[in-house]
Amino acid sequence: MAQPDSKKIFFENLSGAGKAIAVLTSGGDAQGMNAAVRAVVRMGLYVGAKVYFIHEGYQGMVDGGENIKEASWESVSSMLQVGGTVIGSARCKEFRSHEGRLKAANNLVKRGITNLCVIGGDGSLTGANLFREEWSGLLGELVEQGSIDADSVQKYSALHIVGMVGSIDNDFCGTDMTIGTDSALHRIIEVVDAIMTTAQSHQRTFVLEVMGRHCGYLALVSALACGADWVLIPEMPPEDGWEDKMCQKLSATRSRGTRLNIIIVAEGAIDRHGKPITSSIVKDLVVKCLGFDTRVTILGHVQRGGTPSAFDRILASRMGVEAVLALLETTANTPACVVSLCGNQSVRLPLMECVQMTQEVQKAMDEKRFEEAVKLRGRSFVNNLKTYKLLAHRKPESELPISNFNVAVLNVGAPAAGMNAAVRSAVRVGISEGHKMFAVSDGFEGFYKGQIKEIKWADVGGWTGQGGSLLGTKRTLPAKHVDKIAEQMRMHNINALLVIGGFEAYESLLQLFEARTTHEEFCIPMCMLPATISNNVPGTDLSIGADTALNAIVETCDRIKQSASGTKRRVFIIETMGGYCGYLATVGGLAAGADAAYIYEEPFDIRDLQANVEHLTEKMKTSIQRGLVLRNENSNENYTTDFIYQLYTEEGKGVFDCRKNVLGHMQQGGAPSPFDRNFGTKISAKAMQWISKKLVETFRHGRVFANTEDSCCLLGMRRRALVFQPVVQLKDDTDFVHRIPKEQWWLKLRPLMKILAKYKTSYDVSDSGQLEHVVRNRPKELDASVAM
């Protein structure tokens, strides 16, 4: 199979020999920090550097002694799935003083450490940058004191710093997503989903208070993910008179037959005059004005706890490796940088530029420049706020534009978690744009049978958190039924089509595009949203549903590995879904800490299997007790899961025993993850806005007529951008026999998984981040905002 990127630059040129790297976690803890620590340690050791843990953050650096310990490969085993930070974190007043930093410098020089990887928030990273700026002066003082000799000053003349942002609040400018945010959203959504069932039983209103003293990201995104009735955040305080508007909204929702209300309040929520709006104030207001039975739930530190999500493990692992590469490439003149995520790509940004912009947000809020504060938070935050306002607040009928267009929405292919969130978003945005929305049941099979009905705003209430497909979905393709489908489109006067699904949906759009030559009914704007757990649709890096499936795989792998604790050495062979696409096996393997992942895209033979068994045998002779091997269901027709299980069992005799597990359809079920809810919601809203624009552009002489390639598109995530791509132009990128794209970005993550499993391999760094600058207002076409 074609490997991505023909131009390869391998890091064999980047040796860490003779270098010492120290890693510390500072400030508040966040889930995923351990995955970052593990990646830094293993990548550092892999390139030949010495790696040290600094326990208890900056306090450990100041105190020295046993707090600074050399790390080994085995010392980071079994920490990937652990929440918090196992090397400890502490607030340190002493490091803020010059004397404290002098002690810290002495402790580092004694061990030859001149490369620091700091995982923390803006305060921790600012402290690290100050330390770097003072470094040469601190060494000079240490020489004067006789603590170090002059040779040491020459040898350790520069301190290099790379930061990774670990914060559940996602309050750091320059990155779409900080380590820990996705896991915190998982905790919030788990609670909200549980609360909604009890609220419905008693017809209650619930006020939920979530963390975010200065940043409303968690409140805003969880409100978007659960379809909350009202949200209060510090960056955008409500207009004066919000109390009456909120109560009117709650009352209107109940009058439409809804049995519950959810209000989400960030702990730092304020009104326009800077006065705090607490959850108890909101509760008292609802009781007084409406008399609703109202309860308050304050989530507190539960949001910081628990195991990290698949997204956080992958993000932290990618960032940890990127941080080591950045340290290897740094020179004395390179500014301290922070490695972060933009869309789906790693980037490096000057640390102080990010910190300054983060501080500017707070300054704008203090000075009541709220619109500016929202813009400074970044494109993702702005997009979330716009989408929430669009979906949560229904305009009165008199204020809606009258478009006279009918838009049909349907699901095609296998169900994927997040499809319902996408349908809800499409219906509500369509209604807001003045269209009449039609829902088609059971895909194209339902379409040609006439299972089409109008769907209203209230019909999709509560759909966001539902798994599967509430509209119903079938794999039937339209080619054999175009005459009947065209007839149904004529009968219902369908002017545009939104298809949500996987590879079948992509094939369906190609067939409908070809049918335009014989049926004018298909000369309308058509858009497809990728929704499949396999993530095998060309034209997009990510699909709705894949994140939920990854979390199911990772949670199961964690449990399976834990089942072997306290027993003899054991290797687990686990089969994942995905058809011929190895995305779930590869990325699930990276997130679960697998030793190998067998996929169709990377052919393997008996020699590779033997090498893997020998590699595992060597590892098992150390303190490592458990091994994990993932196999994609169609990776090889002869080397089946049973065959691999029997091979490992036979070859591992006397060293380890084996167990196998086929995960099956549990990967397709369950409530959608916060990521899939928001990804589905936002790309669906964007697709409907595109459809509205195309309808206006193609309306001529009293009817819609669209027959160009760019009127039949797939909306996909490509690196940093959400892009509308004509489906016809994606044909050359597609392997139709195996139903996968010819080039797949995630294949670049495979060497990363192998390195972290202690294999010698080449790692392509041509795609690693180059130092960029913080961009205040990115162009609209780069508004991916994919990472929620």
Side-chain angles (χ1 to χ4, degrees):
M1 294 300 295
Q3 292 281 337
D5 216 297
S6 55
K7 186 189 173 193
K8 302 259 182 206
I9 308 161
F10 298 114
F11 68 51
E12 275 82 344
N13 315 323
L14 299 171
S15 172
K19 292 192 175 184
I21 299 170
V23 58
L24 72 142
T25 53
S26 176
D29 67 318
Q31 308 96 320
M33 279 183 165
N34 290 324
V37 170
R38 172 180 176 267
V40 169
V41 169
R42 291 194 168 175
M43 189 64 168
L45 294 172
Y46 186 86
V47 297
K50 269 189 174 183
V51 186
Y52 291 86
F53 292 131
I54 299 179
H55 291 269
E56 312 308 333
Y58 287 119
Q59 191 64 55
M61 198 193 291
V62 172
D63 295 342
E66 284 295 297
N67 288 307
I68 306 175
K69 287 182 183 171
E70 194 169 345
S72 68
W73 194 275
E74 289 73 29
S75 61
V76 290
S77 294
S78 302
M79 68 192 285
L80 188 61
Q81 67 272 26
V82 180
T85 164
V86 298
I87 60 172
S89 180
R91 315 270 180 192
C92 180
K93 284 186 181 176
E94 208 174 341
F95 189 76
R96 292 178 189 171
S97 69
H98 185 77
E99 292 73 23
R101 292 192 291 276
L102 194 63
K103 284 183 193 173
N106 189 30
N107 288 326
L108 294 187
V109 171
K110 277 180 186 173
R111 292 163 179 83
I113 298 167
T114 55
N115 296 282
L116 266 187
C117 183
V118 181
I119 307 165
D122 61 331
S124 307
L125 299 178
T126 306
N129 190 63
L130 175 63
F131 191 40
R132 174 184 163 276
E133 288 172 349
E134 289 182 351
W135 182 255
S136 55
L138 293 170
L139 295 196
E141 285 182 53
L142 290 170
V143 170
E144 285 173 22
Q145 289 176 7
S147 302
I148 61 171
D149 55 32
D151 289 346
S152 296
V153 176
Q154 201 67 33
K155 195 174 178 184
Y156 308 119
S157 58
L159 178 68
H160 306 298
I161 284 174
V162 172
M164 280 184 275
V165 191
S167 162
I168 67 164
D169 291 336
N170 203 27
D171 56 353
F172 194 80
C173 293
T175 182
D176 281 354
M177 206 69 163
T178 58
I179 295 166
T181 306
D182 186 64
S183 301
L185 285 168
H186 271 259
R187 299 298 94 80
I188 295 167
I189 293 305
E190 283 160 17
V191 171
V192 174
D193 285 353
I195 277 174
M196 284 174 100
T197 57
T198 179
Q200 200 143 19
S201 303
H202 297 277
Q203 296 196 53
R204 280 187 176 142
T205 295
F206 268 86
V207 183
L208 276 91
E209 185 181 298
V210 300
M211 282 186 165
R213 260 202 317 271
H214 305 294
C215 179
Y217 185 88
L218 288 179
L220 177 58
V221 175
S222 51
L224 200 54
C226 71
D229 296 289
W230 202 267
V231 65
L232 293 156
I233 58 172
E235 291 89 345
M236 186 51 73
E239 299 288 345
D240 290 345
W242 65 272
E243 297 92 341
D244 291 337
K245 284 180 187 169
M246 183 185 77
C247 290
Q248 283 165 15
K249 170 81 188 335
L250 300 182
S251 185
T253 306
R254 288 287 180 98
S255 67
R256 289 195 291 269
T258 307
R259 291 176 61 86
L260 76 154
N261 300 111
I262 299 285
I263 302 164
I264 295 183
V265 184
E267 63 178 325
I270 51 171
D271 66 14
R272 289 267 155 183
H273 310 287
K275 188 181 166 190
I277 303 174
T278 64
S279 48
S280 56
I281 287 173
V282 175
K283 178 205 164 181
D284 294 343
L285 181 67
V286 174
V287 172
K288 182 184 166 191
C289 295
L290 300 171
F292 290 172
D293 185 2
T294 308
R295 298 283 189 276
V296 171
T297 299
I298 298 172
L299 269 64
H301 282 77
V302 73
Q303 294 160 87
R304 282 194 191 279
T307 58
S309 65
F311 182 97
D312 273 330
R313 297 183 198 196
I314 296 155
L315 171 67
S317 298
R318 286 177 71 183
M319 297 300 102
V321 168
E322 185 70 32
V324 173
L325 292 176
L327 285 171
L328 293 181
E329 292 171 9
T330 194
T331 65
N333 301 320
T334 309
C337 78
V338 59
V339 292
S340 70
L341 186 75
C342 179
N344 190 30
Q345 198 181 5
S346 305
V347 293
R348 299 176 193 169
L349 298 166
L351 191 151
M352 289 317 292
E353 281 186 25
C354 296
V355 168
Q356 280 157 12
M357 189 176 279
T358 304
Q359 290 168 348
E360 276 182 44
V361 178
Q362 190 56 50
K363 191 181 174 193
M365 285 160 63
D366 292 341
E367 293 172 2
K368 298 185 173 54
R369 291 180 284 116
F370 299 115
E371 297 283 346
E372 193 178 335
V374 168
K375 281 180 187 167
L376 287 168
R377 276 274 179 242
R379 63 203 178 115
S380 179
F381 195 93
V382 170
N383 200 10
N384 283 320
L385 190 58
K386 276 183 188 168
T387 310
Y388 176 76
K389 284 178 177 176
L390 202 58
L391 298 176
H393 304 296
R394 186 183 183 182
K395 291 177 186 173
E397 296 285 337
S398 56
E399 289 180 27
L400 290 175
I402 300 168
S403 72
N404 294 321
F405 293 126
N406 295 345
V407 181
V409 58
L410 69 159
N411 294 333
V412 177
M419 276 182 164
N420 297 321
V423 171
R424 169 185 175 267
S425 178
V427 168
R428 292 197 169 179
V429 173
I431 290 168
S432 297
E433 302 264 322
H435 309 318
K436 194 180 271 192
M437 298 300 295
F438 287 84
V440 182
S441 300
D442 297 336
F444 283 104
E445 188 174 310
F447 212 138
Y448 81 80
K449 289 178 179 175
Q451 292 170 252
I452 304 164
K453 62 173 185 179
E454 189 180 348
I455 188 165
K456 303 283 184 121
W457 184 283
D459 295 338
V460 290
W463 279 33
T464 318
Q466 301 279 332
S469 165
L470 293 172
L471 284 185
T473 181
K474 292 277 176 76
R475 293 179 185 272
T476 310
L477 297 178
K480 292 178 183 175
H481 312 284
V482 284
D483 293 338
K484 288 182 180 177
I485 292 169
E487 188 185 332
Q488 291 294 337
M489 290 181 76
R490 250 194 329 273
M491 282 170 59
H492 293 90
N493 189 26
I494 302 297
N495 307 119
L497 210 53
L498 179 66
V499 183
I500 302 164
F503 203 87
E504 290 89 355
Y506 166 62
E507 288 180 301
S508 298
L509 245 65
L510 284 171
Q511 291 177 4
L512 293 180
F513 181 81
E514 285 168 19
R516 282 177 169 180
T517 54
T518 54
H519 296 77
E520 278 197 358
E521 288 82 1
F522 301 120
C523 294
I524 57 172
M526 292 186 277
C527 185
M528 178 209 157
L529 301 180
T532 165
I533 67 163
S534 304
N535 197 29
N536 64 332
V537 179
T540 187
D541 290 353
L542 298 168
S543 303
I544 299 164
D547 183 71
T548 305
L550 275 177
N551 278 290
I553 291 166
V554 168
E555 282 168 27
T556 309
C557 288
D558 287 350
R559 290 184 183 193
I560 287 171
K561 280 163 76 177
Q562 197 176 41
S563 73
S565 60
T567 66
K568 57 184 177 178
R569 295 181 176 92
R570 184 165 286 169
V571 173
F572 295 96
I573 316 292
I574 292 172
E575 183 184 297
T576 66
M577 290 173 93
Y580 285 94
C581 180
Y583 175 82
L584 289 179
T586 297
V587 183
L590 178 60
D595 295 280
Y598 300 118
I599 61 169
Y600 167 77
E601 292 91 342
E602 195 173 275
F604 58 96
D605 57 25
I606 196 71
R607 288 178 293 277
D608 297 313
L609 291 169
Q610 184 62 34
N612 292 150
V613 174
E614 288 169 4
H615 181 80
L616 261 172
T617 306
E618 281 303 305
K619 282 173 78 172
M620 289 288 181
K621 287 175 182 172
T622 66
S623 60
I624 291 168
Q625 299 285 318
R626 288 158 288 183
L628 185 67
V629 174
L630 269 64
R631 178 189 174 272
N632 166 252
E633 59 185 348
N634 288 345
S635 55
N636 189 296
E637 61 181 333
N638 296 313
Y639 300 134
T640 62
T641 303
D642 282 332
F643 177 91
I644 292 171
Y645 162 69
Q646 287 162 3
L647 177 76
Y648 273 70
T649 301
E650 183 61 32
E651 297 296 319
K653 267 184 183 172
V655 181
F656 58 80
D657 67 355
C658 245
R659 295 287 184 275
K660 66 172 177 176
N661 199 304
V662 177
L663 299 185
H665 281 77
M666 63 158 290
Q667 296 160 86
Q668 232 168 27
S673 66
F675 185 96
D676 278 331
R677 296 181 194 201
N678 291 309
F679 186 46
T681 297
K682 292 202 288 188
I683 67 168
S684 188
K686 195 173 181 76
M688 279 308 302
Q689 288 165 337
W690 176 86
I691 284 172
S692 296
K693 185 171 159 238
K694 286 287 175 192
L695 283 168
V696 172
E697 285 174 8
T698 58
F699 186 71
R700 296 284 180 276
H701 311 298
R703 71 180 190 128
V704 173
F705 186 82
N707 63 351
T708 54
E709 287 184 359
D710 68 352
S711 64
C712 182
C713 283
L714 178 149
L715 173 56
M717 167 69 189
R718 301 305 286 266
R719 290 163 71 90
R720 299 191 191 188
L722 278 174
V723 188
F724 288 96
Q725 301 145 99
V727 288
V728 180
Q729 294 175 17
L730 294 171
K731 281 170 83 171
D732 292 341
D733 301 335
T734 311
D735 173 355
F736 284 97
V737 176
H738 298 101
R739 297 158 58 87
I740 52 174
K742 288 180 181 173
E743 291 196 355
Q744 303 187 80
W745 70 272
W746 52 263
L747 286 169
K748 290 186 178 182
L749 297 180
R750 285 187 65 76
L752 172 58
M753 184 190 74
K754 290 175 185 175
I755 287 164
L756 297 179
K758 214 175 184 177
Y759 284 92
K760 287 288 173 191
T761 187
S762 293
Y763 183 59
D764 174 13
V765 297
S766 59
D767 203 35
S768 68
Q770 300 303 310
L771 193 64
E772 301 180 12
H773 290 282
V774 179
V775 180
R776 284 169 186 272
N777 292 309
R778 295 177 189 274
K780 268 194 174 176
E781 61 270 19
L782 293 189
D783 187 18
S785 311
V786 69
M788 300 192 303

